[in-house]
Amino acid sequence: MLQFFLRRVLLVIPTFIGLTLVAFVFIHLLPGDPITVMLGERALDPEREAEMRAALGVDLPLWQQYFRYVWHVLQGDLGQSFVTRRPITSEFFALFPATVELGVCAMIFAVALGVPAGVLAAANRGSFIDHSIMAVSLTGYSMPIFWWGLLLIILFSGILGWTPVSGRIDFLYFIEPVTGFMLIDSLLSDQEGAFGSAFSHLVLPAVAVGTIPLAVIARQTRSAMLEVLSEDYVRTARAKGLAPWRVVGVHALRNALIPVVTVIGLLVGTLFAGAILTETIFAWPGVGKWLVDSIFRRDYPAVQGGLLLIAVVVMAVNLVVDLLYGLINPRIRHVR
Amino acid sequence: MGAERAAVQEVQIETEVAKAPPSPARELWHHFSENKGAVAGLAVVVLLVLLAVFAPLIAPYAPSAQFREVILNPPGWQAGGSWAFPLGTDAVGRDILSRLIYGARYSLMIGGIVITLSLSVGVILGLVAAFARGWVEVMVMRVMDVILAVPSLLMALVIVAILGPGLVNAMIAVAITYIPHFTRLTRASAMSELTKDYVTASKIAGAGRVRLMVKTVLPNCMPPLIVQATLSFSTAVLDAAALGFLGMGAQPPTPEWGTMLAEAREFILRAWWVVTLPGLAILVTVLAINLMGDGLRDALDPRLKRS
């Protein structure tokens, strides 16, 4: 057991080193000299420029620069934004809760609908219900979510007028950021209607981000359920005369959920990709939109830092899921 | 159920005993055609290919032809629409139907080029890793881990930031993010093939390394690769459209569907057709390819069948 844990944790190290290399090389592959970009159009006297290069360590040989970079990264220093001159980490973590809130709500939506849909399809295998659920989920899986977000806006904001088009909360409210999660903060603020406003802002983006995970979870739940339903212990439960819903919903589902949990963990990357597009459409002030904006502003340290931080988050979640999976399912531990 | 199937198989064996075994292609088609959804998907894909190839003959206008007097004209069946522009016109008076038909060219070309690039690089890396073992394998696989650690759209965005926005660069970027899937798949199946007797036999017969890789092992690794390639084709279309939508892919006035959507965004609440139709085209294309891919997987590899 311990061996499995250690091996899995150690595997993270080469990937992390690789990521820092990618992030480091990224800046050096860019067209143009970063110092020139940073100094802008203003011409500086060469002496001052050389001073600056020395301060930033750009005059060192490349490999020394790399180690310098990794050293800074390990201390949590990812450099400064070209545009705002603020540290990348503080920019990122100011916006990160918004993305987490969006992602968590999207995942709740996906699991709350996807698992029952998959169970329903498996329990009625081959029926009209099964075929319709699978057809809808394949459509969801094939959905260009940037378009799906726009459609949701047309329907719910344009035609029905139910939800706002962009942002996290109405401008009427001033919400003190306590946790960074607008739903919680708006409740804490005790202002009337604030929570409702925050919720109505969140619904459409969360649905847009959650659609592809929903489809994946429904498909995965169905196939895991089908596998479990053919096992002997399920037949025993049926033979004992248990109610069909109990057999399916309790006995089978509990075991079918193991692979589904893994899939949920692996969907974190998909969530981030969805967040990049959805935040752009709904003007949701999270790290996805910030990253796209940074690319357009040519704020390369921000892009570099964002890339590294997001990759680390994805890696950490995958690591936790893998370890959990090893914990739940002992068979996997002994596979080399 | 099982007994029934066995009986059916027996009957088939009896009747076909005199004939030659069916060719692999025919057998594949036999299994594939059992899946109605897959056949429907294939039909749509064939239709799209025909549209793309014969776009200049089918489209009523050139994709960039502007009709200044009919800006944001609604589709033919709506009040104020005209059948001269069946699906309406966009903000600069271009016929949407024509642009969508030409757009099929871009999406299919993007999918094709991305898959060709990532498949060929991925297969080579996977074979090299499986044959070389040792530090070469470790290096290759760790690099793949790094690419996989970054969400593919983010990786593609960053690569485009380096290379600069544009259709070709977007295709290269998306292709790079797909390489690890093919590398892992090739390596895994090559390694399991390498332990088999026919490979040993081939080695004893004096086959060289390259021959062993390309002629002996690779053909037996193809089925999962074909399935993965089909399913990646659809995600490639999606990712490239997403890059176009973010302004990092094909640039206006290219009639690429994602780019068309990006141009149409500001008219979202005024003219539904400029926003809805390009996205619908993407959805139908991706859905058709996915249906086809699912059917292909079931037909090629019964073990993976999702029952």
Side-chain angles (χ1 to χ4, degrees):
Chain A
M1 190 71 211
L2 190 70
Q3 214 192 348
F4 163 78
F5 267 68
L6 276 178
R7 207 172 44 231
R8 185 61 189 80
V9 172
L10 286 180
L11 258 181
V12 167
I13 296 171
T15 313
F16 179 76
I17 295 174
L19 280 174
T20 54
L21 257 174
V22 168
F24 177 75
V25 168
F26 164 73
I27 287 281
H28 287 268
L29 282 180
L30 286 168
D33 176 32
I35 296 299
T36 325
V37 177
M38 219 171 130
L39 296 175
E41 299 296 309
R42 289 165 297 165
L44 271 176
D45 59 297
E47 205 173 293
R48 173 96 179 75
E49 196 182 316
E51 221 170 78
M52 217 164 150
R53 280 179 193 276
L56 284 162
V58 201
D59 55 344
L60 297 172
L62 223 53
W63 64 273
Q64 279 185 23
Q65 283 189 49
Y66 171 68
F67 282 110
R68 203 183 136 104
Y69 171 68
V70 174
W71 179 242
H72 285 295
V73 167
L74 289 177
Q75 288 168 316
D77 172 16
L78 293 178
Q80 267 184 10
S81 157
F82 276 167
V83 177
T84 60
R85 307 272 157 178
R86 288 175 55 210
I88 304 295
T89 39
S90 60
E91 294 233 312
F92 183 89
F93 286 108
L95 300 170
F96 192 52
T99 302
V100 173
E101 184 176 40
L102 180 61
V104 168
C105 292
M107 218 41 176
I108 292 174
F109 163 76
V111 172
L113 282 182
V115 171
V119 171
L120 202 64
N124 299 289
R125 181 183 180 179
S127 70
F128 176 71
I129 302 179
D130 182 18
H131 288 311
S132 341
I133 290 178
M134 282 304 101
V136 172
S137 102
L138 191 67
T139 312
Y141 183 69
S142 310
M143 193 65 90
I145 52 168
F146 43 101
W147 176 67
W148 179 227
L150 294 177
L151 278 195
L152 290 172
I153 292 180
I154 293 184
L155 181 61
F156 290 102
S157 308
I159 299 176
L160 296 170
W162 288 354
T163 56
V165 181
S166 66
R168 286 180 85 184
I169 195 158
D170 215 76
F171 288 118
L172 289 171
Y173 305 101
F174 176 74
I175 306 291
E176 192 79 41
V178 183
T179 57
F181 302 114
M182 196 54 92
L183 284 180
I184 302 174
D185 287 350
S186 62
L187 269 183
L188 291 177
S189 77
D190 244 5
Q191 295 173 64
E192 214 189 310
F195 179 76
S197 172
F199 184 77
S200 65
H201 278 81
L202 179 64
V203 169
L204 292 191
V207 169
V209 175
T211 298
I212 289 181
L214 165 62
V216 175
I217 290 172
R219 278 166 75 112
Q220 185 67 43
T221 309
R222 177 178 176 274
S223 64
M225 276 301 275
L226 284 179
E227 211 159 282
V228 173
L229 282 175
S230 64
E231 303 246 345
D232 287 340
Y233 79 91
V234 171
R235 202 188 323 160
T236 313
R238 284 215 168 105
K240 277 198 316 193
L242 288 182
W245 67 266
R246 239 189 108 76
V247 176
V248 173
V250 180
H251 291 243
L253 183 61
R254 198 186 286 166
N255 280 315
L257 279 182
I258 296 178
V260 176
V261 170
T262 321
V263 167
I264 292 174
L266 294 178
L267 282 169
V268 177
T270 313
L271 281 181
F272 264 114
I276 290 175
L277 293 166
T278 311
E279 287 177 3
T280 308
I281 295 167
F282 288 92
W284 185 265
V287 289
K289 184 175 185 305
W290 170 73
L291 234 129
V292 175
D293 291 346
S294 300
I295 290 179
F296 275 108
R297 287 195 297 245
R298 296 179 183 275
D299 189 351
Y300 295 126
V303 178
Q304 181 194 35
L307 172 75
L308 190 64
L309 287 169
I310 290 180
V312 167
V313 170
V314 172
M315 220 164 65
V317 174
N318 284 340
L319 174 67
V320 170
V321 170
D322 270 10
L323 296 181
L324 273 180
Y325 193 62
L327 216 57
I328 315 172
N329 188 353
R331 269 174 290 181
I332 204 82
R333 270 179 246 152
H334 305 294
V335 179
R336 271 164 202 275
Chain B
M1 186 77 176
E4 234 176 76
R5 202 169 269 171
V8 171
Q9 261 171 6
E10 252 168 55
V11 172
Q12 275 177 348
I13 290 167
E14 263 171 44
T15 50
E16 283 175 15
V17 78
K19 287 184 236 157
S23 72
R26 227 180 120 189
E27 203 187 329
L28 179 65
W29 173 249
H30 174 77
H31 289 295
F32 184 81
S33 59
E34 279 173 1
N35 186 336
K36 280 181 219 145
V39 176
L42 178 66
V44 172
V45 171
V46 169
L47 188 73
L48 281 167
V49 171
L50 290 178
L51 277 180
V53 172
F54 297 108
L57 300 177
I58 300 167
Y61 309 98
S64 51
Q66 294 184 16
F67 303 89
R68 302 287 172 109
E69 64 283 6
V70 282
I71 280 166
L72 286 178
N73 221 34
W77 62 86
Q78 259 200 334
S82 110
W83 284 107
F85 305 99
L87 296 181
T89 57
D90 68 6
V92 284
R94 292 173 298 198
D95 179 44
I96 291 185
L97 177 65
S98 308
R99 287 178 70 73
L100 288 178
I101 293 174
Y102 275 93
R105 290 187 151 186
Y106 286 93
S107 283
L108 295 177
M109 180 190 75
I110 290 167
I113 292 178
V114 165
I115 294 308
T116 315
L117 276 177
S118 53
L119 182 68
S120 41
V121 176
V123 163
I124 292 170
L125 287 176
L127 283 175
V128 167
F131 275 76
R133 310 305 304 260
W135 66 271
V136 177
E137 183 190 21
V138 173
M139 283 301 287
V140 170
M141 297 323 286
R142 288 298 85 81
V143 171
M144 296 300 127
D145 284 351
V146 172
I147 300 179
L148 279 178
V150 185
S152 64
L153 183 66
L154 175 57
M155 194 65 173
L157 269 175
V158 169
I159 298 172
V160 174
I162 298 172
L163 300 174
L167 184 59
V168 175
N169 291 345
M171 287 193 291
I172 295 172
V174 176
I176 292 176
T177 64
Y178 290 176
I179 291 174
H181 301 287
F182 294 110
T183 307
R184 284 187 160 186
L185 209 55
T186 311
R187 171 176 163 272
S189 30
M191 274 172 43
S192 78
E193 293 300 319
L194 275 174
T195 62
K196 291 187 181 161
D197 288 342
Y198 76 94
V199 179
T200 318
S202 183
K203 258 187 217 162
I204 293 170
R209 236 180 180 191
V210 176
R211 188 188 169 85
L212 219 50
M213 274 187 191
V214 180
K215 287 211 119 166
T216 314
V217 171
L218 184 59
N220 292 297
C221 304
M222 279 323 273
L225 284 173
I226 292 172
V227 173
Q228 179 69 35
T230 318
L231 295 174
S232 298
F233 193 105
S234 63
T235 34
V237 172
L238 269 184
D239 280 355
L243 286 178
F245 178 76
L246 290 173
M248 307 300 279
Q251 299 296 308
T254 314
E256 196 270 325
W257 295 333
T259 311
M260 285 173 70
L261 259 176
E263 286 179 81
R265 255 182 81 184
E266 48 185 307
F267 308 104
I268 169 171
L269 295 179
R270 275 201 284 150
W272 61 267
W273 57 95
V274 283
V275 179
T276 320
L277 299 172
L280 196 62
I282 301 174
L283 174 63
V284 168
T285 308
V286 173
L287 187 58
I289 298 168
N290 279 339
L291 277 169
M292 205 177 84
D294 274 3
L296 209 54
R297 178 190 53 212
D298 295 351
L300 274 174
D301 196 347
R303 275 167 306 165
L304 291 173
K305 190 159 185 163
R306 270 177 188 261
S307 58

